[in-house]
Amino acid sequence: EAGVAQSPRYKIIEKRQSVAFWCNPISGHATLYWYQQILGQGPKLLIQFQNNGVVDDSQLPKDRFSAERLKGVDSTLKIQPAKLEDSAVYLCASKGFSTDTQYFGPGTRLTVL
Amino acid sequence: QKEVEQDPGPLSVPEGAIVSLNCTYSNSAFQYFMWYRQYSRKGPELLMYTYSSGNKEDGRFTAQVDKSSKYISLFIRDSQPSDSATYLCAMSLPLIQGAQKLVFGQGTRLTINP
């Protein structure tokens, strides 16, 4: 079974620029999560999708972050405009219906200069 | 006060030692308790999962939950250099529609020295 795929793996941008991350969850997994992990901290949930509907986005900075999950499969997370404090690893995870286990992708490491 | 507190370490022990990792929490609504392991430049992977007070053992790993004290632990016996990683405790909160939300601790960076 293929794992959660994310791209790009690394991204360096200037502040005020835009950036987008892509996630392909494990096939058949209805729930998809985006986390932000700042260096030295645990992952923080940004947004959770159930199929293509949003379940929780209470910690998503909606003035600059947006996310979508088209057709309930792949998802993109966008930051526009980026700030220095957005430098972090952005992790995507997915979960099947019959399990409580979240499977994480390798993450995208974002550096904002 | 953070909902989940975890000592970030770093923790360095010799090979073969018993390792004890701990987290405390403040939210009584947490339902499930997990330990994730994260190797450098990788995503977290689930190590242990439990939902009740008591001990759960899996090979060299034992997860312990004390809901009355709001305290969870992970013990690693006969530690190996390959156990060197960051260990994250995580706790689940119920959301609408039967969904769950994970709240992670800060992570403890562990090094096992050969």
Side-chain angles (χ1 to χ4, degrees), chain A:
Chain A
E1 180 182 70
V4 177
Q6 291 188 248
S7 68
R9 290 297 311 276
Y10 305 92
K11 190 74 176 178
I12 300 174
I13 61 172
E14 303 273 339
K15 61 182 179 183
R16 290 187 291 273
Q17 285 187 323
S18 302
V19 65
F21 313 125
W22 173 82
C23 172
N24 180 237
I26 293 173
S27 178
H29 280 192
T31 309
L32 185 147
Y33 311 81
W34 283 102
Y35 289 88
Q36 180 193 57
Q37 186 174 23
I38 293 172
L39 185 64
Q41 297 184 21
K44 182 184 83 171
L45 180 67
L46 294 175
I47 189 167
Q48 178 179 347
F49 292 95
Q50 182 85 10
N51 295 307
N52 60 349
V54 176
V55 175
D56 180 28
D57 63 356
S58 57
Q59 298 189 97
L60 186 75
K62 298 179 185 66
D63 58 335
R64 298 184 301 107
F65 286 64
S66 65
E68 61 180 6
R69 189 180 185 195
L70 298 176
K71 300 180 181 178
V73 182
D74 293 3
S75 178
T76 56
L77 176 69
K78 297 178 182 177
I79 308 175
Q80 180 180 12
K83 293 185 175 181
L84 296 177
E85 58 261 36
D86 298 332
S87 294
V89 175
Y90 290 85
L91 294 162
C92 180
S94 71
K95 185 179 80 68
F97 181 76
S98 59
T99 177
D100 289 310
T101 302
Q102 294 186 23
Y103 295 88
F104 284 82
T108 296
R109 184 175 297 270
L110 173 67
T111 302
V112 182
L113 302 175

Side-chain angles (χ1 to χ4, degrees), chain B residues 3-15:
Chain B
E3 283 187 291
V4 180
E5 298 275 2
Q6 183 176 8
D7 186 341
L11 183 61
S12 182
V13 301
E15 183 176 355

Side-chain angles (χ1 to χ4, degrees), chain A residues 37 40 42 48 100 104-105 109, chain B residues 38 41 43-44 49 95 100 105-106:
Chain A
Q37 186 174 23
Q48 178 179 347
D100 289 310
F104 284 82
R109 184 175 297 270
Chain B
Q38 186 173 25
R41 300 190 183 275
Y49 171 96
L95 297 174
Q100 296 279 334
Q106 186 174 356

